[in-house]
């Protein structure tokens, strides 16, 4: 299993961060940057002296909005960029709706980072296929940035991004940059569009059929709705890839983030502790069980 | 100048087809080119031609309450207008070139007549068209699920 950066000494105590910047991605999705609040020596002692914001691509933090509650949110920033934490959130519940009103200077509690990481190191020397669906681009973004920063360590790199319509596209500055990145086969496809859209329309699995990669020397990273990951994994296997080389990031009801409370249990695994990134062959059978 | 047959055998749709059958199909075909914005066909038109895309891209559109919506695009390797094999042979969508597009156009009436006369040819063509139709149906179901709509935080 791939583990990332270590969590603070007491993983149940949140550290205080301030919102440094906030930007809208879409009508209901936004990204905000966090930086540590200035802390006194007594505070640092209480928090185990932990001021590091190091994380591994794919890991998540528990973000605490005081008075409302705590939610698990993947880290969407650049792992090479020290000094700030970046998260991207969609407003779907009472806590995330609360986050949508955050303004620079406000305080957020942070526990983490937690969970397993995308195996970017283990994938060196191989073809890379990254398939992101909808908001699933956010947990993949740190891996994409690392792979592109270290592009020579990999063979062919494919990045396929599917979303509902052009209005739902995230990280538009990144998308423009990735379109113009040499040695990156980057495609966006949407489920439907009006006639002003000049890009692809159709399901993301269509892109897999046309990609030229060596199935025995490829690693795939998938993140998006489970049904999208299921169909994508099946399409990759139809091309000859092995389930152990296909990695998926799962989302469950994570509460404690350290494998104690059991809310995120998926069969024998706790998604918060053993995931969220899993080899597909480890979870494919579990995901096929209705209601699990 | 390349023959239509030599163009066709490079296309994945025709991979593995016997030479004699390729020649028979090519006898119903011609190479065509569409400029950006030009319609290959419109909804309701007679489905007398299907297309194998060689270069470019084509958007498939349907008229909806808020104007034309694009629900699929086809790219090199793609096949357009399966309505040529299904009575009453009418196009069910609009197809518009999104950029300069080069394709092989095959006359549906000509091919239907040849398939009636030679069921082996008909079976080979059906073996190639049925997966296209099944993929389209699967993809349409996938799109109907609206999987990206909401849920992930």
């Amino acid at each position: 299993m791939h583990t990332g950066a270590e969590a603070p000494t007491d993983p149940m105590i949140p550290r205080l961060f301030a919102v440094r910047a906030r930007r809208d991605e879409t009508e209901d999705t936004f990204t905000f940057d966090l930086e540590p609040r200035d802390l006194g020596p007594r505070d640092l002692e209480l928090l185990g002296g932990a001021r590091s914001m190091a994380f591994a691509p794919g890991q998540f933090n528990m973000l605490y909005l005081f008075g409302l509650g705590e939610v698990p949110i993947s880290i969407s920033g650049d792992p090479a960029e020290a000094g700030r934490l970046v998260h991207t959130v969609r407003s779907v519940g009472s806590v995330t709706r609360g986050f949508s009103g955050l303004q620079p200077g406000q305080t957020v509690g942070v526990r983490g980072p937690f969970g397993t990481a995308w195996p970017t190191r283990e994938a060196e020397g191989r073809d890379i296929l990254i398939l992101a669906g909808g908001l699933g681009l956010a947990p993949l973004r740190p891996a994409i940035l690392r792979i592109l920063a270290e592009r020579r360590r990999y063979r062919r790199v494919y990045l396929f991004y599917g979303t509902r319509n052009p209005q739902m596209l995230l990280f538009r500055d990144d998308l423009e940059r990735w379109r113009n990145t040499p040695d990156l086969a980057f495609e966006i496809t949407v489920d439907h569009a009006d006639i002003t859209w000049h890009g692809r329309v159709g399901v993301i699995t269509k892109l897999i059929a046309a990609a030229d990669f060596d199935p025995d020397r490829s690693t795939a990273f998938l993140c998006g709705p489970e049904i999208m990951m299921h169909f994508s994994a099946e399409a990759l296997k139809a091309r000859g890839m092995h389930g152990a080389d296909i990695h998926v990031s799962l989302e469950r009801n994570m509460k404690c983030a350290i494998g104690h409370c059991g809310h995120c249990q998926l069969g024998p695994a706790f998604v918060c502790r053993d995931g969220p990134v899993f080899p597909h062959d480890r979870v494919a059978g579990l995901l096929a069980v209705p209601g699990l | 100048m390349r023959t239509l047959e030599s163009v066709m055998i490079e296309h994945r749709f025709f991979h593995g087809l016997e030479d004699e059958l390729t020649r028979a199909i090519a006898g119903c075909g011609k190479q065509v080119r569409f400029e950006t914005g030009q319609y290959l066909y419109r909804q309701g038109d007679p489905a007398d031609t299907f297309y194998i895309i060689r270069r470019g891209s084509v958007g498939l559109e349907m008229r909806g309450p808020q104007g034309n919506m694009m629900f699929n695009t086809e790219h090199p390797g793609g096949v357009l207008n399966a309505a040529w094999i299904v009575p009453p042979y009418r196009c069910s969508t609009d197809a518009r070139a999104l950029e300069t597009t080069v394709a092989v156009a095959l006359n549906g009436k000509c091919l239907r007549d040849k398939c009636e006369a030679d069921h082996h040819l008909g079976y080979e063509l059906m073996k190639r068209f049925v997966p296209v139709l099944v993929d389209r149906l699967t993809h349409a179901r996938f799109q109907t699920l609206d999987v990206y709509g909401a849920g992930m935080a």
Side-chain angles (χ1 to χ4, degrees), chain A residues 135 164 191 193 201 206 227, chain B residues 70 72-73 143 146-147 152:
Chain A
L135 192 56
R164 179 198 259 177
D191 269 356
V201 181
K206 273 179 76 175
I227 187 78
Chain B
M70 196 156 38
N72 195 16
T73 53
Q143 285 171 295
D146 192 22
V147 296
M152 297 183 66

Side-chain angles (χ1 to χ4, degrees), chain A residues 172-246:
Chain A
R172 287 169 186 263
D173 290 345
D174 286 342
L175 305 185
E176 191 57 37
R177 194 165 49 251
W178 294 339
R179 271 196 193 99
N180 298 308
T181 299
D183 292 334
L184 173 66
F186 175 46
E187 296 284 358
I188 298 172
T189 187
V190 301
D191 269 356
H192 50 80
D194 66 27
I195 59 173
T196 61
W197 172 249
H198 296 290
R200 286 178 176 266
V201 181
V203 298
I204 198 167
T205 49
K206 273 179 76 175
L207 298 171
I208 296 170
D212 177 23
F213 59 93
D214 179 350
D216 292 322
R217 292 186 65 190
S218 295
T219 301
F221 303 156
L222 278 52
C223 189
E226 279 183 15
I227 187 78
M228 167 256 167
M229 292 193 287
H230 166 74
F231 282 118
S232 299
E234 292 305 311
L236 291 168
K237 288 177 184 172
R239 290 287 311 271
M241 279 193 71
H242 310 285
D245 294 326
I246 300 169

Side-chain angles (χ1 to χ4, degrees), chain B residues 88-103:
Chain B
Y89 314 119
R90 291 279 167 191
C91 300
S92 57
T93 68
D94 292 349
R96 184 171 54 92
L98 302 176
E99 57 189 312
T100 300
T101 297
V102 177

